[in-house]
């Protein structure tokens, strides 16, 4: 019994223990689940807070982005509208009155819009004002209604802006003011005596309207006869002043008496509304509402505010009216300008609407200025007028005229149609602007060659004439093959009064036979005495003020024309063929640079920069004629004859003057003269160019203390090779005349036998007698020489010409003669090798 109870107790205890364990496990699981639930709740709350923060940040960022884009686009739109307004109403058409001045319109421009006030609108936190513009000339009639003071101010402002944006005489005004008899617009009264304004009497309105209708009919017939739709279109197809001025009719009616118009007057007014704008007739009407028409611009003004058809629902704040004294002053100035005539053409007026549309098949036609009436005056170079003479004293504007002519030609004819060769014999760099420079890389695409400061280098002018003579022969052969070539215009500014026989013969040949092959000459000179033999070939004459010898003896036109004018004569200067031309200012670099860059950017890919020869510039030794470094032995070409570069040739192409040093007797060089720096440059250029062509060895002997720095620099730059067979060896001698009699025999032996062994002497002697003393009777051992400041007669012993060459030494020029190449010596420019003496 007791054991049974014990067993039962044990079972109960076991079950209780298991129940407690189970309860504890369930409790632990519940605690764990609760903890996990709390953790997840916390995470969800944190995620929710993060999400809210991110959404808030995204919302704020999006809002800021929208605001930024709104401000940016509003600012961009504002700038665009401002730019459009500036383009639509430039200068006097849109400038506020406190800054207002009249502006000269473009020769080919048409009237734009006119300002009457401002339109304000919000751009974010800013308030922006834009000009309120209305159309008028060539666009609309103006019908202004509302408070009379505001209406009168609008009419006065628009009328003043219309007059201020046109040339004097281009607008005539008629005013019908029956109440004040013209007193409503008193500031415009000074226009009356000049015929620019007339007042229509109260009883004369009907006759005035009839006259307007007749004028419209006449203009309309002219417009239609020319195949145009309006007078504005006809004017745009012509150059110079308008065929007919605009006619502005100001009708100032009293609103209370506008009904007094007769039916006939109303009918005529309606005809003018319908057809007037196309014929340059415009109405400005107050107090009477015009019939609806697309050409009628309505303005309703009240209390300094206005609304008009152009601005729509936007309110316009009207400008304060211009002061009456300003209007009167402008009108007096306009009358004075009308008496003086239109201003001369600007350089930009010579430019056509589209560049390079001309064809040179039958000649070259381009304006050089305008007439006193304002029409551009074209000048022709062709078969009938093949060449031109330009004459005038110093400072009369010859170069300015040439600039204008070149610019007009270059804008009309592409490089395939026109080639320019330009020479300036005056002191200056007039034509250097047409070639690329360190500040401006552009060039004029039609220019093939430009020579400046050529007066001291007549050899270059002669070389150009020889080149043109060869071009003439080439074109004669090409003509038989029907090959098209561009026309050539050779311009010589500062034409020299005295010419050599060869230059005269070349010019006469070009003047006689050139036009048939498309070659034309333009000679500009102060003294045309040197052109007497050529004058018969130059029927086109252009005389500047006080020019002499250009026109016929009985033609005195050049003596009476003012500055900035020229007489263009197409009959060899005869008195009956004059035309006076006003010349623009074509020397302004800003205007020229704009045109040149435009043409340069449109140049063909095959267009190359022109050759620029500057007589005052010293060419540097090109890098290709300097040794790049040591040249390995064994690479010498023993069969070739190296060429020593001595300087730049004065020729159409900027090529070097070379001396071939082969295995022939006498292949040695003597540099003669006392100019140490130039002599050192000649020797250095020769040595460096020889070293650049392949392996060579050098010996340098310097016997002149002044030449020691140059000799040391040359030694440092030359590659070092030991003398060996197959490699030429050059002896560079500075001041060899200082060696004395003790070394003469060895020197003579080297000069005589050295070239056959590829040993050559390149030496400097300070005078011809000293050279002759050193070489003795074997003068043929010096096969070539370069003379610096040695006069022609002193070179007689070395020259094939009896008495010596025709040579007058000048700075940085040398006379080069090679017995194996030259019949006569040629002038060269020694290269600058070391810049410490230039």
């Amino acid at each position: 019994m007791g054991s049974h109870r014990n067993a039962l107790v044990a079972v109960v205890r076991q079950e209780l223990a298991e129940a407690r364990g189970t309860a504890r496990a369930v409790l632990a699981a519940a605690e764990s689940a609760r903890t996990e639930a709390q953790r997840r709740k916390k995470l969800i709350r944190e995620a929710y807070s993060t999400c809210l923060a991110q959404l808030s940040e995204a919302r704020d960022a999006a809002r800021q982005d929208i605001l930024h884009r709104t401000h940016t686009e509003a600012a961009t739109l504002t700038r665009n509208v401002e730019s459009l307004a500036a383009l639509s109403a430039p200068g006097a058409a849109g400038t506020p009155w406190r800054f207002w001045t009249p502006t000269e319109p473009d020769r080919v421009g048409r009237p734009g819009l006119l300002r009457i006030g401002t339109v304000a609108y919000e751009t974010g936190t800013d308030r922006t004002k834009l000009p309120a513009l209305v159309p008028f000339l060539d666009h609309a009639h103006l019908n202004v209604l509302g408070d009379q003071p505001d209406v009168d101010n609008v009419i006065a402002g628009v009328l003043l802006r219309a007059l201020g944006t046109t040339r004097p005489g281009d607008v005539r005004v008629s005013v019908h003011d029956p109440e004040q008899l013209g007193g409503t617009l008193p500031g415009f009264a000074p226009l009356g005596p000049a015929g620019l304004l007339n007042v229509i009497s109260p009883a004369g309105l009907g006759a005035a309207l009839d006259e307007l209708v007749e004028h419209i009919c006449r203009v309309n017939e002219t417009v239609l006869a020319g195949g145009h739709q309006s007078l504005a279109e006809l004017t745009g197809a012509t150059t110079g002043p308008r065929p007919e001025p605009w006619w502005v009719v100001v009708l100032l009616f009293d609103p209370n008496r506008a009904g007094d118009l007769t039916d006939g007057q109303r009918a005529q007014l309606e005809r003018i509304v319908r057809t007037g704008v196309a014929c340059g007739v415009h109405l400005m009407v107050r107090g009477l509402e015009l019939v609806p028409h697309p050409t009628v611009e309505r303005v309703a003004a009240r209390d300094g505010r206005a609304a008009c058809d152009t601005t729509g629902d936007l309110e316009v704040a009207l400008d304060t009216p211009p002061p009456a004294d300003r209007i009167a002053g402008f009108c007096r100035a306009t009358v004075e300008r009308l008496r003086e005539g239109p201003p001369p053409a600007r350089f930009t007026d010579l430019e056509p609407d589209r560049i390079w549309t001309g064809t040179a098949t039958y000649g070259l036609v381009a304006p050089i200025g305008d007439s006193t009436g304002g029409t551009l005056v074209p000048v022709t170079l062709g078969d009938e007028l093949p060449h031109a003479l330009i004459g005038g004293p110093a400072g009369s504007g010859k170069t300015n005229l040439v600039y204008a002519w070149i610019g007009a030609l270059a804008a009309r004819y592409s490089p395939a149609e026109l080639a320019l060769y330009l020479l300036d014999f005056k002191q200056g760099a007039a034509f250097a602007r047409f070639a690329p420079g360190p500040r401006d890389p552009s060039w004029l695409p039609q220019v093939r060659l430009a020579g400046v400061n050529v007066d001291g280098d007549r050899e270059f002018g002669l070389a150009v004439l020889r080149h043109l003579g060869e071009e003439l022969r080439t074109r004669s052969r090409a003509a038989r093959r029907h090959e098209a070539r561009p026309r050539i215009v050779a311009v010589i500014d500062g034409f020299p009064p005295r010419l050599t026989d060869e230059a005269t013969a070349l010019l006469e040949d070009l003047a006689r036979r050139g036009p048939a092959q498309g070659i034309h000459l333009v000679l500009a000179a102060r003294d045309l005495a040197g052109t007497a033999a050529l004058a018969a070939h130059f029927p086109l004459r252009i005389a500047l003020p006080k020019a002499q010898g250009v026109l016929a003896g009985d033609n005195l036109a050049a003596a009476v024309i003012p500055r900035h004018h020229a007489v263009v004569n197409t009959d060899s200067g005869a008195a009956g063929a004059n035309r006076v031309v006003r010349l623009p200012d074509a020397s302004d670099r800003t205007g020229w640079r704009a045109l040149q860059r435009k043409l340069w950017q449109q140049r063909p890919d095959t267009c190359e920069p022109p050759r620029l020869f500057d007589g005052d510039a010293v060419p540097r030794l090109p890098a290709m004629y300097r040794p790049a470094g040591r040249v390995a032995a064994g690479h010498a070409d023993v069969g070739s004859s190296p060429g020593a570069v001595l300087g730049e040739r004065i020729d159409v192409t900027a090529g070097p003057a070379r001396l071939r040093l082969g295995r022939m007797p006498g292949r040695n060089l003597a540099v003669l003269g006392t100019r140490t720096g130039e002599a050192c440059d000649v020797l250095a250029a020769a040595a460096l160019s020889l070293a650049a062509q392949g392996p060579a060895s050098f010996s340098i002997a310097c016997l002149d203390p002044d030449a020691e720095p140059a000799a040391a620099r040359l030694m440092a730059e030359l590659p070092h090779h030991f003398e060996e067979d197959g490699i030429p060896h050059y002896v560079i001698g500075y001041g060899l005349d200082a060696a004395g009699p003790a070394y003469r025999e060895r020197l003579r032996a080297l000069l005589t036998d050295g070239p056959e062994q590829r040993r050559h002497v390149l030496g400097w002697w300070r005078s011809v007698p000293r050279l002759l003393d050193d070489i003795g009777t074997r003068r043929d051992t010096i096969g070539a020489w370069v003379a610096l400041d040695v006069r022609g007669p002193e070179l007689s012993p070395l020259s094939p010409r009896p008495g010596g060459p025709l040579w007058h030494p000048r700075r940085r020029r040398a006379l080069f003669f090679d017995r194996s190449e030259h019949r006569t010596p040629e002038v060269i420019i020694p290269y600058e090798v070391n810049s410490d003496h230039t």
Side-chain angles (χ1 to χ4, degrees), residues 1 15 104 231 237-238 249 298 357 359 424 456 484 488 546 568-569 602 635 692 727 730 733:
M1 187 69 178
E15 291 178 352
E104 184 71 16
L231 183 61
T238 61
V249 183
R298 300 184 187 279
T357 57
T359 175
D424 184 7
I488 290 177
K546 305 300 185 289
V568 177
N569 187 290
Q602 297 295 325
H635 286 263
I727 294 180
Y730 304 100

Side-chain angles (χ1 to χ4, degrees), residues 148-164:
Q148 185 166 323
D150 289 332
V151 171
D152 293 344
N153 292 339
V154 170
I155 291 176
V158 171
L159 184 58
L160 181 58
R161 291 189 187 277
L163 292 169

